[in-house]
Amino acid sequence: MPSTANSSVSLAAGLPASPGRELAGEHSMRMNISKLNFYYGEKQVLFDISLGVAAARLTALIGPSGCGKSTLLRTLNRMHETVRNARLDGEITLDGQSIFLQDVTQFRRRIGMVFQKPNPFPKSIFDNVAYGPRINGASRPLSDVVEASLRRAALWDEVKDQLHKSAYELSGGQQQRLCIARALAVEPEVLLLDEPCSALDPISTAKVEELLVQLKSSCTIVIVTHNMQQAARVSDFTAFLLNGSLIEFSPTPQLFTTPADSRTEAYITGRFG
């Protein structure tokens, strides 16, 4: 099947348009999610989710705890397949091709993942970043790959003289940026982040947010965040989920200033959540 990475597809695929309201316009899609339903055993946790992930943009998933946003994120790199009795109906495509028809190992090299809690390997800073390129057979010298990845993660200047130091000796914020550098080292096409700042202090959070804004021009990013201010600061598009359903999906300024759904307005103004 030919790649459709540069085709223009509505970001609001599958969503009813509100009268007189543009949802998200026409943008180049990297991923598309269509009529996605997800179950843990007999319990359904996602209901008929349809949305697009724009290329070289940052898409935020927001909503109260338990609304399904982390589950949705994990389906994007097929992590749900590691959970017993989990099943999924619907379709997810990357560049127009079903992600479920691709070799999962090769596919996950294309989709990077950063988790809520920094999880560096019990290795040196250098070996953390070099791990993926080393096992995948890097075409460039590892030292070049490590430096480039740490620079992209805005960490190089802080660690360049201590690359053989244990990653555990870094601060929490530095460890999270190291995990981002480790994910970037294999040059993913899409980067998924599950509440990457929830365990960080405000200064470290600001550094990660600044990094994400810089990265999105060269990497498609999807972030789950419980922090609505963070979504407003860093994202281009925001999806609001509630009880496993997609309530609203719009350009971020639009969703936060003129939400189309009363439930979105109630959530962003703090009336529940």
Side-chain angles (χ1 to χ4, degrees):
M1 182 182 297
S3 171
T4 59
N6 295 319
S7 63
S8 191
V9 183
S10 173
L11 271 167
L15 290 180
S18 301
R21 178 183 178 84
E22 286 186 26
L23 278 171
E26 299 291 318
H27 285 267
S28 176
M29 291 295 99
R30 202 69 211 254
M31 301 190 78
N32 271 293
I33 303 160
S34 179
K35 298 182 179 179
L36 185 70
N37 294 282
F38 189 84
Y39 306 80
Y40 289 115
E42 297 301 314
K43 180 177 174 60
Q44 186 171 359
V45 295
L46 292 176
F47 299 84
D48 203 32
I49 303 289
S50 293
L51 59 87
V53 176
R57 295 291 187 273
L58 194 154
T59 299
L61 307 179
I62 66 170
S65 296
C67 70
K69 53 189 185 292
S70 289
T71 296
L72 176 59
L73 186 79
R74 288 166 185 243
T75 65
L76 299 184
N77 75 340
R78 296 173 56 179
M79 281 194 66
H80 66 281
E81 294 177 3
T82 66
V83 180
R84 189 175 181 182
N85 295 326
R87 64 185 177 89
L88 175 153
D89 296 327
E91 187 61 273
I92 303 173
T93 60
L94 173 64
D95 295 345
Q97 298 180 330
S98 172
I99 69 172
F100 305 113
L101 299 179
Q102 302 180 40
D103 175 80
V104 68
T105 301
Q106 295 293 334
F107 170 72
R108 287 187 181 142
R109 290 174 183 167
R110 303 176 67 189
I111 311 287
M113 185 87 184
V114 176
F115 297 94
Q116 180 175 355
K117 184 178 179 181
N119 61 339
F121 299 147
K123 299 174 181 290
S124 68
I125 295 168
F126 182 95
D127 285 338
N128 263 268
V129 182
Y131 182 82
R134 183 177 278 138
I135 64 172
N136 291 328
S139 58
R140 292 189 293 157
L142 285 177
S143 58
D144 291 351
V145 175
V146 169
E147 178 176 347
S149 302
L150 288 170
R151 285 189 183 279
R152 288 186 73 193
L155 190 57
W156 173 253
D157 289 339
E158 297 171 44
V159 303
K160 61 184 178 182
D161 296 323
Q162 46 188 336
L163 294 178
H164 296 289
K165 189 175 179 179
S166 169
Y168 290 155
E169 295 184 44
L170 297 175
S171 69
Q174 289 175 322
Q175 287 187 15
Q176 192 64 300
R177 281 183 286 147
L178 177 66
C179 292
I180 293 173
R182 187 177 67 198
L184 293 173
V186 294
E187 299 183 353
E189 298 162 40
V190 179
L191 184 62
L192 311 176
L193 302 103
D194 192 356
E195 300 199 22
C197 299
S198 63
L200 304 183
D201 61 80
I203 293 175
S204 297
T205 294
K207 288 183 177 179
V208 171
E209 289 182 2
E210 182 180 357
L211 166 62
L212 294 178
V213 171
Q214 293 171 357
L215 286 175
K216 67 183 180 181
S217 63
S218 60
C219 184
T220 300
I221 299 174
V222 184
I223 181 173
V224 164
T225 179
H226 68 283
N227 185 327
M228 287 182 286
Q229 291 76 22
Q230 182 174 81
R233 286 191 295 264
V234 305
S235 69
D236 300 288
F237 301 97
T238 298
F240 169 55
L241 280 78
L242 181 65
N243 298 326
S245 296
L246 179 60
I247 304 302
E248 187 166 351
F249 183 41
S250 301
T252 296
Q254 189 171 299
L255 184 137
F256 280 99
T257 57
T258 55
D261 193 288
S262 60
R263 292 166 292 180
T264 310
E265 182 178 14
Y267 181 70
I268 65 177
T269 56
R271 293 205 290 274
F272 77 91

